[in-house]
Amino acid sequence: MTAITLEDNTFDDPTRRAPLVLGEADFASVTRRVCQITERPRPPAAWYAALAASVALAGCLLAGIVCMIVTGVGVLGNNSPVFWGFDITNFVFWIGIGHAGTLISAILFLFRQRWRTSVNRLAEAMTVFAVVCAGVFPAVHVGRIWVLYWVAPYPNQMALWPNFRSPLLWDVVAVSTYGTVSVLFWYLGMIPDLATLRDRATTRWRQLLYGLFALGWRGSASQWHHFEWAYLLLAALATPLVLSVHSVVSFDFAVSQLPGWHTTIFPPYFVAGAIFSGCAMVVTLAVPARAYFGLERLITLRHLDNLNKLILATSLLVGYAYAVEVFMAWYGGNPYEAFTLANRALGPYAWAYWLMLGCNVAVPQLFWLKKCRTTPWMMIIVALLVNVGMWLERFVIIVTSLSRDFLPSAWGIFKPTVVDVMMLSGSFGLFFTLFLLFCRYLPMVAMAEVKTVLPSNPQSPVSAETR
Amino acid sequence: MSHTDRKSDAPPGTLRVAGILAEFDGPVALKAAAAGVREAGYTVFEAYSPFPVHGLHAATQRVPGRRRTLLPWLVLGGGIAGGLGALLLQWWTNALDYPYRISGKPLFSLPANIPITFELIILLSALAAFAGGLMLSGLPELFHPLFACARFRRVTTDAFFLAIEASDPQFDETAAAVLLRSLGARQTEVYCQPETQRRLPGVLVAAAVILVPLLLLPPLWIAKVRYARKASPRIHLITDMDFQPKYLPQQSSPVSLFADGRAMRPPVAGTVAVDQPLEADHFLRGETGGKPATTFPVPVTAALMQRGRQRYDIYCATCHGLAGDGDGITSQLAVEREEPKWVRPLSLHNQSVRDQPVGQLFKTVSQGVRTMPGYGSQIPVEDRWAILLYVRALQRTRTATIRDVPQEKRKYLELTGPADAEKPATKP
Amino acid sequence: MPRNPLRNLDQDRTTLSGVPRAVAPALAVGGGVALAVAFALAWSRDASLRDFSASYLISFCFFLSISLGALLFVALQHLVRAGWSVTVRRLAELLAANVSCLAILFLPILVPLLVGRSGLYEWSDPEAVAADKLLEAKAAYLNVPFFAIRAGVYFLVWGLLGRFFLVQSSRQDDSGDPGLTRRMERASAATLILFALTVTFASFDWLMSLEPAWFSTIFGLYFFSGAVVAFFAALILLALGLQAGGWLTSSITTEHYHELGKLLLGFIIFWGYMAFSQYMLIWYANLPEESVWYLARQTGPWTWLSVGLLFGHLLIPFFGLLSREVKRRRILLGGWAAWMLVVHWIDLYWLVMPTFAPEHLPFGLIDVCCIIGVGCLFLAGLLGVARGRALVPLKDPRLHESLVFENS
C-alpha cells in the first residue's frame, strides 16, 4: 500500500460537481486498472491470507451445520421460552446487510446518483453473498432439513399445502425472490464487463469462460438500448423489493402479540436498519479493497463520504424508531409493553441493549465531522461497530422479548452454545470467502458505468455540469 | 489517418464479405457518423461503443427519436401473471382444496396473502425484464463475424465502431468506405463471414453430451422405483422413529427378563379369544345346541323373579306396559300424537309370544327385533334372564287357573279372587 | 434544449407583480366568510362545536400537510445537493414558509380547548378522564396546557425553518453568493431531524389522540407519507397554474413534470406501504385495544370508504401514473395530481370522522365550507409570502443544471 496523493474531491463547493474519477483517467486506463485485478498472475499476498482465514471460518460453519443435522437442533442454545436465538438473529442480520447493495444499485440509480457507479458492483456482490449466508440459517434451524422441501407447494400424498398465511412462508418467498432478483440484476450489469474481460483474455480458457457468460455481447447501440431499459426496469422493480423483503422479515415478529415485537413501526424501522448495516458493510469491504487493489482513483474519498452520510442518516432513522417505541410503550398504557422496554434497559440483557444504543445511535454521530467521514481508518472502526450494534439489535429484539413475556413462570434465560458461536463466525467466513473469490475472478468495478461518468467523457453529465 | 483497407486473416477469394467496419474517435463522432450513414440511405448498420452513448440508438433508427421497446409491456405482463397466479395459488390451496382455520383467520385471508402476492409480482416481472432484455438484444449470440477482427476487440475497452453490413440493399464496399472516411473514420476494414460455422469447442460439447444423460439418470431411476412392483421394501433413507429399540409382541428377547426367553408373558388363564366358541352359550346367548333354549340356565327363584320385576319396570314397562299389554306410556303418547312411524308393541300375552322359546326371547331382549332396539349393552346377562322370568310370570297370569296355584295359597284366593275360579282371569 | 437557457429565463415572468394587490385580502375575507358559514351551520344544528371542529380539523390538516411536505422537500433537496429541482424549489419554499399562516389557522382548534368547550378530544374533558383509567394514565401527556405548549413548539420550529430557507434563498436572488447554498445545506440535516420529531408528535397530538385509547408507532410516518403525496400533487398543480397564467413558462419543463410525476408515484407507493403495514399488523394480531380503531372503519358505510381509499389512493393512481407518457403530458399529470389531492382529503376524513360519526358518512356543506375557507386563507397567506419575491431562485449555483435537466 503506497500512499497516493490525489486531488481532494470531497469539497463542498456548490458551483461545481465533484469529479468522480480521479487522476488523468481515460477509458483504457480505467479498464486496465480494473481488469488487471483478475488478470495478474498472482493476487496480492494479503488475498491469500484472507482467503485462508475465511475458508477456515467457513469450515466452522460447515462443521456446525453437520453437527446440527446429525445430532439435532438441541445443539443450539434455543430452548423454552427463547425458541429463536442466534439462528434467526443471524438470518435477519445477513438479510439486512444485503439491502444496501440493492439500495446502491437500484435506488441510487433511480435517483441519478452517479457516484454509485464505482461501488455498485461490489455492493451487489455483497448482496448476493449476504443472501446466501442468510439463507443458510432458516434452512438449518428447521430441525429436519431433509424435508425442507415441504415448504414448497407441490402436490403430495398427504394432500397438504403450506400455510401461506404464515409470515414464515412469506419469508421463504421474499428471500428467494430477493436472491433471484439480486443475482439477475448483478449478472445483467456484469455482462458488458465480462465481455471486456473476454476481449482482453490471453488464454483460451479465460476467453471461453468469460465469453460464455458474456453471452456474445458486442456493445451495439441496440444492445445497449435494451440493456439500459432492462437495467432501468430491474432497478425500478428492485426498489420496492428491497423495501418489501425486510418488511416481510419484520412481519415475522410484528404479526405476533408479543410485547416488544408487535408494533406497527417495525417494517420501515427494519428497512432503515438494514440499509444502515449494509452501508456499513460496504464501507468495511470498500476501504481495504480499494487499498489492496489500487482502486483509490475509482472508489474515491467522495464515494466513501457519501456512504458515510447514508450511514449517519439511517442511524438517525433507527434512533427515531427507538424513540417512538419508547414513547409509545408509555403512551399505549400496555403494562407488558412498558415492562418489556424497561426489561431491555435494566434486565439481564441490559449490556446488549446499551451496547446496541452506543454502536447504533452514538458512534455514527461521529460522521457529523467531515474528518471522520473522509479518513479511512476512522470510518472502518465506525462501520465495524455499526455492524456489531445491528447484530445486537436483532439479538435484543428477539431474545429479550422471548425470554420475558407475559407469564413470569415462563421466563427463561438464553445461553448460546459453541455451535451457535461457530455458526455465527462461520457465516462471516462463508461471506468473505465468496467475496474474495469475487474480487479475484470477476470485475470488481462496473467499468462500463464508470466510463459514462468519467470527466474526460464528453457525454458525461458530471463534466457537462461544471461551469 | 491510415486509409489502407485491411482484410481479415483468411486468404482472399475464399470468403464472403459480411460488411465494412469503421473506427471513430469518440462518442460524439460516432453519433454524427451514424446520423450521416442513415441519411445516406443505409438501413442495415450498427454502431458499437464500450458504454451506452446517449442518443446513439435513436440516431441509428429509421425514425429517429422513437424510444419504442417491448420490454415494459413484457414486464407488465409478467407482473400481472405473478400477481394473479399468487392470489390464485393461495386462495385455491388454503381456502378451497384443503381449507382449515388457523388462529381464527378467514379461509381466504386477503391481508395475509398480500406479501406473497407482492413478491411474486416482482419476481415474475424481474424474470420478464431479464429474459426480455436478453432476448430483445439478441443474446446469447456467441458467434458473430466481427469477433474475427482483431481491432474489434477494443470495442469493450475504449474504441468506437460503426459497421455497415453486406446485407444492406445498397451496400458497396468502395462506396461505403468512401462515405465512412468522409464522416471521419480513423480506419476502415472489410470483414468477412467465416468459412465454417464456428462451433463450441469439442470439450464443452463432449462434456454436455456426457453430462446431460447422466443428469437424467437419477429422476428416471426414482420414477422406476416408484412405479415398478417390488417384493422387497422400498429404500428408506430417513428413518426418523420408524425402527425403535423396543420388543414387539411374540418376539424373543436375547437378554430375557423372563425365564422362558420371551419378551412378553403368555395370556392369563381364562382369556377368551374374540371369536372363540363360548362354553356358556345357554347363559350368554340363550342357545343350546345351536337352537334357542327352552329352559332357563339359572335357578328359578322368587328373588330372581322380583329382580326381574324391578328390572322389567325400569327397562320394558315404558313401551310394553306394566302388565305387558303393549300400552306403556311411550306407546300411549306416540299413539296420541299419531306418530307415523310408531308400531304398537306386540302384547306379551299374544299366543305367538307365548309360544316362543325363552332363548328366542332372550335374543330379542339382547339384540332387538324389528323396530325394538336391543338392550344387550344396557342390561347385564343375569338381569336379562330375570326379566324373562318375570315376563313368563306375567304371561302365566293370563293363562293360569286356580289349579296352578299351590294348595296353601288357594284358600287366600278363594276368599279374595273372582267367583269363577276355573276360568283364566282375563281373555288372552 | 435551448442554447442558453439562462437567457430565456430572463424573459420569463418570475414575480407576481402583475397580480392586483386586492386579491390576497379578498381571498382572506372570502375564506373567513366561508368558515363563518360553516360555524353557523354547525352551531345551529346542535349548539356544539363538534361537527365544525371535526370538519375544520380535516381541512386544516390537509393544508398543513402540503406545507409540511414542502418543508421536507426543500430540506431534502438541499441535503442531497439536487440539481434538477432548483426551478421548482422556490415554489416549495413558499409553500413551506406559508406554515406561519397555518399557525393562525390553528387557533379555532386550540381556543375551544383552552376554554374547555372543545368536542374534539375526549381527553380534554375532565369528567371523561376521571371515569377512564386509561385516560388518567395518559393525562401527563394528554392535557390541555402541555398540548398547547407542544403546538406552540411545533409551529415555532416549522415557522422558523420555513422562513429560514425562504429568506436565505431569496437573499441569494440578489447576491448570488454560493455560501448561502452551503449554509442551507448545513442546516438541512438538523431541519430534517427537527421535522421528523415535530411532525410525528403533531400527528400523535392532533390526529391519533382523537381516539385516545388507540396507538400505533407508525402513525407519524403514515401522516408524513400522505403529506408528501399531497405536496407533490399541489406543487404540480401550482406549477401548471402559474404556467397557465404566463409565469415561469420556460423554466419548468416537461422534464421537471416527469420527475415530479415519478416522485408522486413513488410516494403513492410509499403511502400504500405505510397504510398496509399498519393495517395488516393490527389485523393479524387482532388485539382488541388496537383493532377497535380499524373496526370503526370497517363497519357499515365506512367499509366502502376504506375500500374506496385503497383503490383510489393506491391501486388506481399507481396504474395511472405508471406510464412514462402520462407523466410527460401536463394535462394528464395535472388530472392525476388533482385526483391525489382529493383522495388525500378523503384519507384525512377517514382518519378523523369515524370517531364522530360511526354510523354514517357525514359530508355536507360544513365540510365544503371548511375546505373553501381554509383553502382561501391558505392561498391568501401564500400570496402574501410570495409578494415581492421571485418565483425561481434566480442566482442559485445549480440553476443551469436544472434548466438543462433531461430525464434519461
Side-chain angles (χ1 to χ4, degrees):
Chain A
M1 255 201 307
T2 51
I4 316 170
T5 38
L6 294 165
E7 74 231 51
D8 175 26
N9 67 342
T10 62
F11 54 77
D12 274 334
D13 186 355
T15 57
R16 56 192 182 102
R17 294 289 183 191
L20 294 171
V21 181
L22 298 177
E24 294 300 317
D26 62 358
F27 305 133
S29 72
V30 166
T31 310
R32 206 171 30 243
R33 191 167 284 282
V34 177
C35 288
Q36 77 185 23
I37 301 172
T38 66
E39 289 168 357
R40 54 188 284 183
R42 284 198 182 297
W47 185 87
Y48 284 107
L51 188 68
S54 305
V55 169
L57 272 181
C60 276
L61 175 65
L62 188 63
I65 293 174
V66 168
C67 184
M68 260 191 81
I69 293 178
V70 165
T71 311
V73 185
V75 300
L76 300 181
N78 302 5
N79 217 327
S80 174
V82 185
F83 295 101
W84 281 353
F86 274 35
D87 47 357
I88 298 301
T89 308
N90 296 342
F91 162 65
V92 181
F93 174 72
W94 282 112
I95 285 285
I97 283 185
H99 277 48
T102 321
L103 170 95
I104 292 173
S105 296
I107 299 177
L108 292 183
F109 174 78
L110 293 178
F111 284 132
R112 288 185 303 272
Q113 298 290 303
R114 315 263 180 227
W115 59 271
R116 63 177 268 286
T117 50
S118 301
V119 289
N120 72 329
R121 180 64 49 70
L122 186 154
E124 284 161 21
M126 178 195 83
T127 295
V128 171
F129 304 142
V131 173
V132 167
C133 289
V136 166
F137 290 99
V140 298
H141 96 305
V142 294
R144 287 189 297 169
I145 189 174
W146 47 91
V147 289
L148 189 60
Y149 59 89
W150 286 353
V151 297
Y154 72 98
N156 56 69
Q157 82 266 30
M158 299 173 279
L160 281 178
W161 301 105
N163 178 23
F164 292 112
R165 292 163 281 190
S166 161
L168 305 180
L169 250 304
W170 304 343
D171 261 353
V172 169
V173 176
V175 173
S176 318
T177 303
Y178 188 50
T180 309
V181 175
S182 300
V183 168
L184 290 178
F185 198 35
W186 182 55
Y187 175 58
L188 182 77
M190 258 201 295
I191 291 174
D193 292 339
L194 289 172
T196 308
L197 285 169
R198 168 200 70 196
D199 289 339
R200 285 171 57 99
T202 46
T203 72
R204 189 93 175 106
W205 271 110
R206 283 183 69 93
Q207 192 188 34
L208 214 58
L209 284 171
Y210 285 122
L212 202 62
F213 285 102
L215 304 177
W217 176 265
R218 291 193 313 278
S220 74
S222 84
Q223 281 178 343
W224 277 119
H225 173 69
H226 290 109
F227 172 88
E228 283 196 297
W229 262 107
Y231 198 86
L232 172 68
L233 287 165
L234 274 178
L237 289 168
T239 302
L241 179 67
V242 81
L243 290 177
S244 69
V245 168
H246 222 64
S247 300
V248 167
V249 171
S250 80
F251 289 158
D252 279 345
F253 309 108
V255 299
S256 73
Q257 293 153 337
L258 212 54
W261 278 18
H262 179 64
T263 177
T264 44
I265 204 174
F266 258 31
Y269 160 43
F270 265 54
V271 172
I275 296 170
F276 181 42
S277 62
C279 285
M281 186 59 95
V282 172
V283 168
T284 311
L285 294 172
V287 168
R290 71 193 276 273
Y292 281 106
F293 295 116
L295 294 170
E296 290 96 338
R297 285 190 176 83
L298 294 171
I299 306 176
T300 67
L301 286 177
R302 187 171 194 87
H303 294 85
L304 297 173
D305 186 14
N306 287 342
L307 282 170
N308 293 332
K309 285 184 188 172
L310 269 174
I311 291 177
L312 177 60
T314 44
S315 127
L316 290 168
L317 287 175
V318 167
Y320 165 85
Y322 291 154
V324 172
E325 271 193 318
V326 169
F327 172 74
M328 215 51 88
W330 172 81
Y331 178 89
N334 181 347
Y336 302 105
E337 194 77 45
F339 169 76
T340 299
L341 226 58
N343 177 46
R344 279 190 190 168
L346 307 167
Y349 295 104
W351 59 270
Y353 181 76
W354 291 104
L355 192 57
M356 164 192 100
L357 280 186
C359 291
N360 285 352
V361 182
V363 164
Q365 305 309 309
L366 286 171
F367 280 155
W368 286 103
L369 306 168
K370 181 156 171 193
K371 180 81 181 141
C372 203
R373 288 199 305 268
T374 52
T375 311
W377 69 265
M378 288 190 204
M379 62 177 92
I380 278 243
I381 292 177
V382 174
L384 286 171
L385 285 175
V386 164
N387 272 324
V388 167
M390 283 312 291
W391 189 91
L392 282 172
E393 180 192 286
R394 277 55 173 261
F395 177 80
V396 163
I397 289 175
I398 293 174
V399 174
T400 58
S401 278
L402 283 174
S403 79
R404 287 186 175 183
D405 61 5
F406 299 100
L407 279 179
S409 58
W411 289 357
I413 293 291
F414 167 81
K415 282 190 168 37
T417 61
V418 172
V419 177
D420 275 323
V421 176
M422 267 170 63
M423 289 179 73
L424 171 60
S425 47
S427 65
F428 280 93
L430 175 63
F431 178 77
F432 284 110
T433 304
L434 291 170
F435 187 76
L436 287 166
L437 290 174
F438 156 78
C439 288
R440 173 71 181 134
Y441 294 110
L442 290 174
M444 250 181 87
V445 173
M447 292 178 276
E449 294 193 54
V450 170
K451 287 173 192 169
T452 60
V453 299
L454 265 186
S456 61
N457 180 349
Q459 284 208 328
S460 162
V462 180
S463 70
E465 283 146 14
T466 57
R467 292 241 203 96
Chain B
M1 274 206 313
S2 158
H3 297 280
T4 317
D5 286 349
R6 289 197 276 129
K7 298 223 189 327
S8 62
D9 309 332
T14 59
L15 301 165
R16 210 159 37 92
V17 167
I20 185 161
L21 184 72
E23 186 177 344
F24 291 86
D25 286 327
V28 179
L30 181 61
K31 204 159 80 161
V37 167
R38 184 178 40 76
E39 267 160 36
Y42 289 95
T43 50
V44 188
F45 67 97
E46 260 298 5
Y48 298 92
S49 56
F51 52 84
V53 174
H54 190 59
L56 185 60
H57 180 70
T60 60
Q61 295 306 290
R62 180 171 307 184
V63 184
R66 302 297 299 279
R67 298 172 49 100
R68 274 288 137 86
T69 173
L70 196 55
L71 206 51
W73 294 102
L74 290 175
V75 170
L76 184 66
I80 291 174
L84 289 177
L87 282 172
L88 194 67
L89 170 73
Q90 294 177 91
W91 168 74
W92 190 78
T93 57
N94 283 153
L96 195 68
D97 189 55
Y98 193 134
Y100 65 99
R101 263 190 212 287
I102 189 153
S103 48
K105 305 275 183 298
L107 289 175
F108 182 46
S109 306
L110 188 57
N113 291 333
I114 295 289
I116 290 187
T117 308
F118 185 83
E119 300 300 333
L120 284 181
I121 289 175
I122 305 249
L123 179 66
L124 262 73
S125 307
L127 287 170
F130 181 78
L134 287 183
M135 203 178 64
L136 291 170
S137 306
L139 297 176
E141 192 186 354
L142 293 173
F143 304 109
H144 193 274
L146 278 173
F147 287 139
C149 303
R151 188 191 302 280
F152 190 69
R153 292 222 186 97
R154 283 190 74 92
V155 75
T156 47
T157 304
D158 61 353
F160 301 81
F161 294 95
L162 199 121
I164 304 179
E165 294 177 24
S167 51
D168 188 294
Q170 61 181 75
F171 180 75
D172 175 66
E173 269 182 53
T174 23
V178 164
L179 170 67
L180 288 168
R181 258 182 261 131
S182 72
L183 288 169
R186 210 192 280 164
Q187 287 270 15
T188 60
E189 173 185 336
V190 174
Y191 66 96
C192 299
Q193 201 82 321
E195 65 276 22
T196 49
Q197 266 296 80
R198 297 291 292 274
R199 296 186 198 289
L200 279 173
V203 173
L204 283 178
V205 175
V209 165
I210 293 172
L211 258 185
V212 169
L214 278 179
L215 284 172
L216 281 176
L217 281 180
L220 286 174
W221 177 64
I222 291 173
K224 177 205 167 238
V225 165
R226 275 181 75 85
Y227 294 110
R229 290 174 194 278
K230 300 184 70 177
S232 50
R234 65 187 180 129
I235 296 171
H236 194 52
L237 282 173
I238 307 295
T239 52
D240 281 336
M241 288 171 72
D242 295 343
F243 306 114
Q244 296 171 22
K246 68 181 184 188
Y247 292 115
L248 298 170
Q250 312 297 339
Q251 265 187 341
S252 65
S253 73
V255 183
S256 183
L257 299 169
F258 305 109
D260 58 5
R262 285 184 180 149
M264 61 181 273
R265 296 285 78 213
V268 174
T271 304
V272 175
V274 170
D275 52 354
Q276 189 179 345
L278 294 171
E279 289 138 19
D281 264 357
H282 189 182
F283 179 66
L284 293 173
R285 292 210 194 150
E287 280 177 9
T288 43
K291 289 214 278 281
T294 48
T295 54
F296 280 83
V298 290
V300 173
T301 61
L304 191 66
M305 195 178 306
Q306 287 300 333
R307 172 84 182 162
R309 176 184 187 170
Q310 190 219 37
R311 295 284 110 182
Y312 176 90
D313 287 347
I314 292 171
Y315 290 108
C316 317
T318 56
C319 291
H320 286 282
L322 285 167
D325 291 308
D327 59 348
I329 188 167
T330 308
S331 187
Q332 286 176 18
L333 280 172
V335 168
E336 236 176 71
R337 289 179 192 168
E338 292 169 15
E339 290 286 334
K341 293 216 175 85
W342 182 255
V343 176
R344 225 186 109 130
L346 198 54
S347 169
L348 293 177
H349 304 287
N350 198 310
Q351 189 63 41
S352 60
V353 180
R354 278 191 284 162
D355 286 341
Q356 282 181 29
V358 75
Q360 191 169 342
L361 287 176
F362 181 85
K363 204 165 158 201
T364 301
V365 172
S366 309
Q367 294 168 15
V369 69
R370 296 184 292 275
T371 48
M372 170 178 159
Y375 282 78
S377 55
Q378 287 139 280
I379 310 176
V381 179
E382 179 90 33
D383 282 342
R384 286 182 233 164
W385 289 114
I387 288 174
L388 287 171
L389 190 59
Y390 182 67
V391 165
R392 281 291 192 234
L394 279 178
Q395 288 173 337
R396 266 309 266 285
T397 57
R398 301 288 166 86
T399 58
T401 65
I402 195 69
R403 269 192 284 281
D404 296 315
V405 177
Q407 200 63 2
E408 54 275 20
K409 299 266 168 41
R410 266 189 216 175
K411 202 172 272 173
Y412 171 71
L413 280 179
E414 276 162 4
L415 281 174
T416 57
D420 193 345
E422 298 296 326
K423 287 211 243 49
T426 52
K427 54 183 186 301
Chain C
M1 200 195 309
R3 239 169 236 293
N4 187 351
L6 285 175
R7 191 171 300 150
N8 283 10
L9 186 63
D10 291 340
Q11 290 154 11
D12 250 3
R13 281 171 68 191
T14 54
T15 63
L16 288 174
S17 47
V19 175
R21 283 209 158 254
V23 172
L27 276 173
V29 168
V33 165
L35 286 177
V37 166
F39 181 88
L41 278 172
W43 190 264
S44 67
R45 197 175 285 178
D46 56 4
S48 96
L49 287 175
R50 241 175 62 139
D51 292 340
F52 170 74
S53 299
S55 292
Y56 186 82
L57 180 67
I58 298 169
S59 298
F60 171 77
C61 286
F62 177 76
F63 287 99
L64 177 71
S65 60
I66 295 176
S67 277
L68 291 176
L71 180 59
L72 173 97
F73 179 76
V74 170
L76 195 58
Q77 297 303 293
H78 279 296
L79 184 71
V80 299
R81 303 183 190 159
W84 71 270
S85 57
V86 175
T87 49
V88 296
R89 205 189 63 227
R90 176 59 53 78
L91 297 175
E93 286 166 6
L94 294 170
L95 283 169
N98 202 23
V99 79
S100 333
C101 156
L102 284 162
I104 303 169
L105 284 171
F106 187 63
L107 290 172
I109 299 174
L110 184 62
V111 168
L113 266 178
L114 289 173
V115 302
R117 294 215 55 176
S118 167
L120 268 183
Y121 297 107
E122 198 189 336
W123 48 262
S124 63
D125 177 7
E127 284 166 22
V129 172
D132 187 340
K133 288 190 78 158
L134 202 54
L135 288 180
E136 268 188 299
K138 301 189 196 198
Y141 182 80
L142 290 179
N143 60 71
V144 175
F146 195 12
F147 179 91
I149 295 172
R150 285 197 305 271
V153 168
Y154 305 148
F155 281 109
L156 190 68
V157 167
W158 295 334
L160 285 176
L161 290 174
R163 207 185 134 69
F164 171 79
F165 284 105
L166 182 61
V167 163
Q168 300 303 311
S169 184
S170 305
R171 212 175 275 173
Q172 202 180 49
D173 286 350
D174 304 315
S175 67
D177 174 17
L180 287 166
T181 304
R182 285 240 288 281
R183 184 186 299 180
M184 287 191 278
E185 186 187 317
R186 274 199 293 273
S188 58
T191 302
L192 288 170
I193 297 172
L194 287 170
F195 176 86
L197 292 169
T198 50
V199 169
T200 301
F201 283 95
S203 70
F204 290 168
D205 285 357
W206 302 340
L207 293 171
M208 198 170 82
S209 72
L210 288 168
E211 193 86 53
W214 185 71
F215 57 96
S216 163
T217 38
I218 207 178
F219 195 83
L221 284 172
Y222 176 80
F223 176 73
F224 159 76
S225 65
V228 179
V229 169
F231 159 70
F232 280 120
L235 182 65
I236 290 171
L237 287 174
L238 187 61
L240 284 171
L242 284 170
Q243 286 194 323
W247 287 279
L248 304 179
T249 39
S250 65
S251 48
I252 304 182
T253 65
T254 306
E255 307 295 333
H256 296 111
Y257 284 115
H258 185 179
E259 190 73 12
L260 287 171
K262 283 198 277 187
L263 285 165
L264 181 64
L265 175 62
F267 276 95
I268 288 172
I269 298 171
F270 184 67
W271 176 90
Y273 168 49
M274 296 290 103
F276 177 72
S277 299
Q278 185 172 259
Y279 179 71
M280 202 273 290
L281 293 175
I282 290 179
W283 175 87
Y284 205 103
N286 206 15
L287 293 172
E289 63 255 29
E290 293 179 344
S291 59
V292 63
W293 192 85
Y294 274 106
L295 274 174
R297 287 151 183 81
Q298 269 179 214
T299 318
W302 289 104
T303 318
W304 299 112
L305 194 70
S306 302
V307 173
L309 204 56
L310 166 68
F311 278 88
H313 204 303
L314 179 64
L315 294 174
I316 297 173
F318 171 78
F319 284 106
L321 281 167
L322 206 52
S323 151
R324 189 176 190 274
E325 292 313 309
V326 168
K327 294 192 276 273
R328 292 179 77 86
R329 290 190 32 203
R330 299 175 193 207
I331 203 161
L332 290 177
L333 186 64
W336 281 112
W339 171 294
M340 291 317 299
L341 281 179
V342 169
V343 290
H344 178 63
W345 189 91
I346 296 176
D347 185 22
L348 288 167
Y349 177 76
W350 178 84
L351 280 177
V352 172
M353 270 307 185
T355 314
F356 301 104
E359 308 292 312
H360 62 291
L361 296 175
F363 182 80
L365 206 52
I366 300 180
D367 302 283
V368 173
C369 286
C370 281
I371 299 172
I372 294 175
V374 179
C376 288
L377 287 161
F378 183 80
L379 273 173
L382 193 61
L383 281 172
V385 170
R387 174 80 32 203
R389 296 188 203 271
L391 296 172
V392 165
L394 294 168
K395 296 206 181 128
D396 189 290
R398 300 181 189 128
L399 180 64
H400 183 272
E401 200 181 313
S402 181
L403 289 168
V404 305
F405 167 67
E406 249 185 55
N407 254 299
S408 47

